[in-house]
Amino acid sequence: MNKRKLLFNALGSVMLLASCGGNVTSENREMDRFVSELMGKMTIEEKIGQLCQCSGGFATGPNNTKIDRTEDISKGLLGSMLNVSGAANTRKYQEAAMKSRLQIPLIFGLDVIHGFRTGFPLPLAEAASFDLDAIERSARCSAREAAAAGLHWTFAPMVDIGWDARWGRVMEGAGEDPYYGAKVAKARVHGLQGDDLSDESTIMACIKHFAGYGAPIAGKDYNSVDMSMGHFANFYMPPYKAGAEAGAATFMSAFNDFNNEPCTGSEFLLRDLLKDKWGFKGFVVSDWGSVSEMINHRYAADEKEAALKGITAGLDMEMVSECYSKNLKALVEEGKVDEKLVDDAVRRILEQKYKLGLFEDPFKYCNEEREKSVIGSKQSREDACYVAERSIVLLKNDKNILPLSKDVKRISLVGALAKSQKDMCGAWSCADVSKVVTLYDAMCERGYNVDYVEGYNLENNKIVDLNRTLSSARNSDVVIVAMGERAWQSGEMRSKGDISIAEEQQKLVSELVKTGKPVVVLMMCGRPVIFNEVRKNAPAILCTWWLSSEAGNAICNVLWGDYNPSGKLPMTFPQHNGQIPLNYQYKSTGRPTANGEWCAKYIDIPTEPAYPFGYGLSYTTFEYSDLKVNDSVNGDVYANVSVNVKNTGKYKGEEVVQLYVRDEVASVTRPIKELKGFEKISLEPGESKTVTFDITDEQLGFYNNNMDYVVEKGDFTFMVGTNSKNVQSIKYTLK
Ligand code: BGC
């Protein structure tokens, strides 16, 4: 093997950014002085109050008994509320907080997952853009609108890596890849928080769900998670760490257990790794009721023990359940909890309130005038359309059916989803449903001659009046079929045992294809789905996910070629449920997957996915050539990998050039390939560009079994291409 090991800090220490509070600046000293003075005046009850968050509105979890907490607020016994929004509404509660003895302002949080009143594509869809600027732009718009509606905090981004498409929450993340997930996490945190939390158009981000929530056993939401530390460090940890590095103000502990402890009570995760090793200075909030759920985990006998385990682990704020408010004082008095632990949690929360500027003006986010002008503004709509166009993935385009000619006269638009504003929003949406432009609306708005037919029943997926649908198709120039899952079929508590698209919807497409008319399928979904019959029969397929407010406009822009699709799948699409969990980044094993007999495969289903990670076509074509490695470089860069990419087709287009790396032999088993770089380039027809990737520790290293980040000398293969499967390779040796 002959490899030299370069050791780094165990589990990687984090470079703190100013927004996370790591730098000792005069501003920080002023904050320390202010917070210390305030804490000096606080009673233990008031301190514990800061650690409590209640829901003020609708339920996003069980046990949502509505109790009016206004009196507690005016006694200074509550630190935060969730599920309350609107400048006027939040003002009402903030006024109550201003009646309290020390007038400590509340912070208001909400799950602003993909846009606020102006909805943006699902996070998974946005990730398909491989466009970090677009992703940041989306988060910035979400923050701008949310902050104008009195909010200080979103419970986003969800950065959990997902390899299991049965898990409904994959819609909320950036897909399966840790390298890409880390880049997206940074972009989202920066988009939400900007460079200054006191800016009225930014809000606090919350990295969730720490940790490993995306790997529940059998894809069942809330299920246990069981993985080795090496697996965690290499495949699941990078986006969380990136979120801390980006200066996220808060983290959320996950519902699941991790290494035999509920995350909410895991001292290893919250205190040792996040706060000590990574130097995270913000605060950790539990997930909805997850402190008291430690009783269900059978990790705590009762609420008192749950409170003890939470505060000891480093869990600062309790969402919804009331273990802290009911028990922390007694625990301190009995000497079971050192008051210093409570103080540390209080300080972290007060510091964020200070950074938001709430002590200067508790009502600065409660401006109804601003709310009116910012929400749904022209800028928001433009941003939403821009991001939505870039989220669409072209999966198939036989005989270049797409883009459609501007001369297409008669369109048969089939499928109830084409007209459903609610579905278009996607799961976990704050969007104003009445302002969502459906596909049908957008086509009519453009003056096309559209014959809309329901096609199938939205509730039971049965074909509706096949004859009518087929005659509409026969009388048209092109048939556009909107199909897929309902929006509510992905998201929290929406795990599925079967991710196939309903049989009758698929049959309908086959019947439409038989008419001989060109058929374009729009696959609307919140996760990878299985649709083998459609894949085989339909000549053109676009994956349009759920794109929210501007869905119809973005889809039309792509159908008619005003925007040439450039999205790439951020998750592998399986052919069969039995293949799941499925990802491109698997390990060789001792009996690598192949066509032979004694190898890793199934006897009844294929091992190949339907579409690999990173897959997506364009209306134009790209040719890759001249792949080279140059190792005459200096500094922290070991080598450069370069490739020439030429637009060989008729249209201007964007291509996501992807770099994958394989460590040929290592001291631990390593994946067959890992994404380690990507660049999205735009090329005119006939134009070429050389794309160069730097090879540094980030490209070559990994966590070994001592949890050290190491780079080992030896042979590597660099692969560059248009998706994780279609690549060209070149060898490299690190000497
Ligand atoms: C989810 C979190 C969410 C919280 C508050 C929980 O059920 O797991 O992601 O932020 O509810 O709505």
Side-chain angles (χ1 to χ4, degrees):
M1 197 167 48
N2 185 26
K3 294 198 173 189
R4 182 170 64 89
K5 287 181 189 172
L6 307 173
L7 294 184
F8 289 71
N9 286 345
L11 285 174
S13 61
V14 166
M15 294 295 292
L16 287 168
L17 299 182
S19 57
C20 187
N23 292 359
V24 185
T25 58
S26 59
E27 199 185 323
N28 282 354
R29 274 196 294 272
E30 179 51 30
M31 177 175 77
D32 281 354
R33 196 199 52 74
F34 178 88
V35 171
S36 302
E37 202 178 305
L38 179 58
M39 284 178 65
K41 295 181 199 153
M42 290 170 83
T43 62
I44 182 75
E45 287 85 357
E46 286 165 335
K47 286 180 182 171
I48 293 166
Q50 286 303 306
L51 314 189
C52 302
Q53 182 188 54
C54 77
S55 169
F58 50 91
T60 40
N63 308 326
N64 186 44
T65 339
K66 289 229 173 69
I67 309 168
D68 184 1
R69 302 291 297 274
T70 321
E71 205 184 315
D72 284 342
I73 297 170
S74 48
K75 286 187 187 149
L77 299 180
L78 201 76
S80 170
M81 292 180 86
L82 83 152
N83 295 351
V84 178
S85 67
N89 210 12
T90 52
R91 175 178 287 276
K92 196 177 74 193
Y93 291 108
Q94 202 66 296
E95 277 168 356
M98 288 307 108
K99 290 192 186 132
S100 66
R101 195 175 73 90
L102 296 171
Q103 302 191 318
I104 301 177
L106 290 167
I107 34 178
F108 300 102
L110 185 78
D111 294 276
V112 182
I113 304 293
H114 48 110
F116 187 55
R117 295 293 178 246
T118 306
F120 279 71
L122 297 181
L124 183 66
E126 259 181 29
S129 71
F130 279 77
D131 183 333
L132 298 175
D133 292 335
I135 290 170
E136 184 165 334
R137 185 160 160 181
S138 154
R140 179 135 307 159
C141 181
S142 304
R144 206 167 49 231
E145 288 204 354
L151 292 163
H152 311 126
W153 186 17
T154 174
F155 307 116
M158 185 191 100
V159 306
D160 304 311
I161 295 298
W163 292 357
D164 195 324
R166 293 171 300 182
W167 185 54
R169 287 195 93 163
V170 294
M171 55 116 324
E172 217 181 313
E176 75 185 44
D177 185 71
Y179 172 86
Y180 182 51
K183 305 283 175 214
V184 173
K186 273 191 178 166
R188 289 192 166 138
V189 169
H190 195 244
L192 292 166
Q193 297 193 166
D195 297 319
D196 179 6
L197 268 188
S198 74
D199 181 324
E200 281 167 18
S201 65
T202 60
I203 55 176
M204 296 194 293
C206 181
I207 296 292
K208 71 188 191 185
H209 305 83
F210 195 54
Y213 181 54
I217 293 172
K220 208 165 56 171
D221 205 5
Y222 315 127
N223 208 4
S224 281
V225 168
D226 189 13
M227 62 174 81
S228 69
M229 284 307 289
H231 193 76
F232 171 66
N234 285 303
F235 301 120
Y236 286 83
M237 190 183 76
Y240 303 118
K241 184 163 173 280
E245 281 172 354
T250 71
F251 261 63
M252 183 183 288
S253 69
F255 284 128
N256 54 281
D257 62 337
F258 179 90
N259 207 18
N260 304 325
E261 293 169 335
C263 297
T264 300
S266 168
E267 207 169 330
F268 163 72
L269 284 176
L270 307 186
R271 214 175 274 292
D272 300 348
L273 183 59
L274 178 63
K275 293 182 175 176
D276 292 349
K277 229 151 231 150
W278 296 350
F280 171 69
K281 295 280 185 276
F283 70 87
V284 181
V285 64
S286 77
D287 204 341
W288 179 288
S290 71
V291 177
S292 71
E293 285 178 14
M294 285 197 274
I295 302 169
N296 294 345
H297 277 281
R298 296 202 280 122
Y299 185 66
D302 51 26
E303 292 196 340
K304 191 166 180 184
E305 196 181 358
L308 171 67
K309 293 207 161 159
I311 197 77
T312 308
L315 191 279
D316 303 307
M317 183 181 279
E318 180 178 11
M319 182 187 284
V320 179
S321 57
E322 296 177 6
C323 305
Y324 280 13
S325 58
K326 292 181 185 155
N327 299 290
L328 264 187
K329 188 176 170 211
L331 285 165
V332 170
E333 283 167 357
E334 289 160 17
K336 293 188 177 133
V337 167
D338 188 336
E339 194 170 341
K340 282 196 192 121
L341 292 184
V342 176
D343 284 350
D344 177 55
V346 175
R347 176 175 292 278
R348 288 168 178 273
I349 293 163
L350 293 179
E351 281 182 0
Q352 296 308 323
K353 294 186 175 184
Y354 181 94
K355 287 181 182 172
L356 285 161
L358 291 174
F359 288 109
E360 272 170 37
D361 178 4
F363 300 105
K364 67 187 272 202
Y365 298 82
C366 309
N367 178 339
E368 285 178 74
E369 284 305 305
R370 189 157 65 92
E371 183 175 30
K372 271 194 219 113
S373 69
V374 168
I375 287 181
S377 68
K378 190 163 164 275
Q379 177 71 55
S380 295
R381 301 297 300 205
E382 277 171 18
D383 286 351
C385 191
Y386 179 92
V387 179
E389 287 167 349
R390 280 151 185 81
S391 305
I392 296 172
V393 185
L394 177 63
L395 297 177
K396 188 173 176 186
N397 194 18
D398 281 359
K399 300 198 189 117
N400 296 324
I401 289 186
L402 293 172
L404 299 176
S405 148
K406 301 269 187 234
D407 301 332
V408 163
K409 293 273 174 317
R410 295 160 309 163
I411 299 165
S412 168
L413 177 60
V414 180
L417 286 172
K419 239 185 170 180
S420 168
Q421 282 184 306
K422 183 90 187 92
D423 283 289
M424 226 39 101
C425 290
W428 213 317
S429 167
C430 302
D432 181 343
V433 180
S434 68
K435 304 256 166 59
V436 171
V437 180
T438 66
L439 182 57
Y440 174 76
D441 297 335
M443 284 183 179
C444 296
E445 176 68 20
R446 276 153 214 248
Y448 292 123
N449 178 355
V450 184
D451 182 26
Y452 166 77
V453 272
E454 186 183 353
Y456 52 84
N457 180 297
L458 259 188
E459 302 306 321
N460 61 20
N461 287 310
K462 297 277 175 240
I463 291 176
V464 175
D465 200 347
L466 182 62
N467 289 336
R468 158 83 177 95
T469 308
L470 294 180
S471 89
S472 166
R474 285 190 197 103
N475 289 321
S476 70
D477 299 324
V478 62
V479 184
I480 296 174
V481 191
M483 62 183 298
E485 298 187 310
R486 300 296 302 271
W488 55 265
Q489 286 177 315
S490 52
E492 184 174 353
M493 58 161 182
R494 305 294 185 197
S495 288
K496 277 181 157 186
D498 183 357
I499 59 163
S500 309
I501 295 300
E503 236 171 77
E504 291 225 2
Q505 280 196 24
Q506 299 207 54
K507 237 188 248 152
L508 180 63
V509 173
S510 304
E511 292 300 323
L512 287 165
V513 171
K514 282 188 211 152
T515 63
K517 295 290 179 174
V519 173
V520 178
V521 165
L522 306 174
M523 187 53 66
M524 302 184 169
C525 51
R527 53 146 71 90
V529 285
I530 296 171
F531 49 103
N532 296 332
E533 184 173 340
V534 174
R535 283 204 299 126
K536 186 164 140 239
N537 294 335
I541 308 172
L542 284 162
C543 176
T544 65
W545 319 97
W546 295 116
L547 301 171
S548 207
S549 297
E550 284 288 323
N553 289 326
I555 295 172
C556 283
N557 290 348
V558 165
L559 285 173
W560 275 274
D562 296 321
Y563 181 75
N564 184 354
S566 63
K568 302 276 185 174
L569 297 175
M571 270 187 91
T572 306
F573 273 46
Q575 290 195 59
H576 195 285
N577 289 297
Q579 299 176 317
I580 307 171
L582 186 62
N583 71 330
Y584 81 91
Q585 204 175 144
Y586 54 86
K587 294 185 176 179
S588 293
T589 80
R591 296 187 175 182
T593 299
N595 289 325
E597 284 194 333
W598 302 93
C599 65
K601 61 166 194 175
Y602 304 101
I603 58 168
D604 56 345
I605 57 168
T607 51
E608 280 295 298
Y611 301 106
F613 173 84
Y615 176 86
L617 306 171
S618 164
Y619 295 154
T620 193
T621 44
F622 300 101
E623 196 182 274
Y624 284 65
S625 63
D626 217 10
L627 178 62
K628 280 194 215 130
V629 183
N630 164 24
D631 56 5
S632 325
V633 281
N634 299 316
D636 294 341
V637 179
Y638 297 110
N640 296 141
V641 180
S642 62
V643 71
N644 192 271
V645 185
K646 181 171 184 191
N647 181 345
T648 47
K650 287 197 296 199
Y651 303 93
K652 176 184 173 184
E654 288 162 274
E655 168 71 331
V656 181
V657 183
Q658 302 163 43
L659 166 75
Y660 295 86
V661 176
R662 175 167 59 238
D663 189 349
E664 289 298 344
V665 182
S667 59
V668 297
T669 56
R670 302 286 297 125
I672 58 153
K673 62 177 74 149
E674 294 176 287
L675 183 77
K676 288 294 178 182
F678 64 92
E679 193 175 325
K680 192 164 188 173
I681 54 168
S682 174
L683 294 173
E684 296 290 338
E687 195 191 355
S688 318
K689 266 186 195 159
T690 299
V691 175
T692 305
F693 297 101
D694 282 349
I695 303 299
T696 64
D697 291 338
E698 192 186 17
Q699 278 63 46
L700 303 184
F702 60 89
Y703 289 96
N704 67 14
N705 283 346
N706 298 325
M707 296 301 116
D708 294 320
Y709 190 78
V710 299
V711 176
E712 296 180 346
K713 288 192 162 188
D715 295 338
F716 292 85
T717 302
F718 298 141
M719 291 156 268
V720 177
T722 182
N723 61 56
S724 61
K725 196 168 169 224
N726 186 354
V727 288
Q728 300 179 12
S729 307
I730 193 160
K731 300 277 178 211
Y732 167 74
T733 304
L734 178 66
K735 297 195 182 102

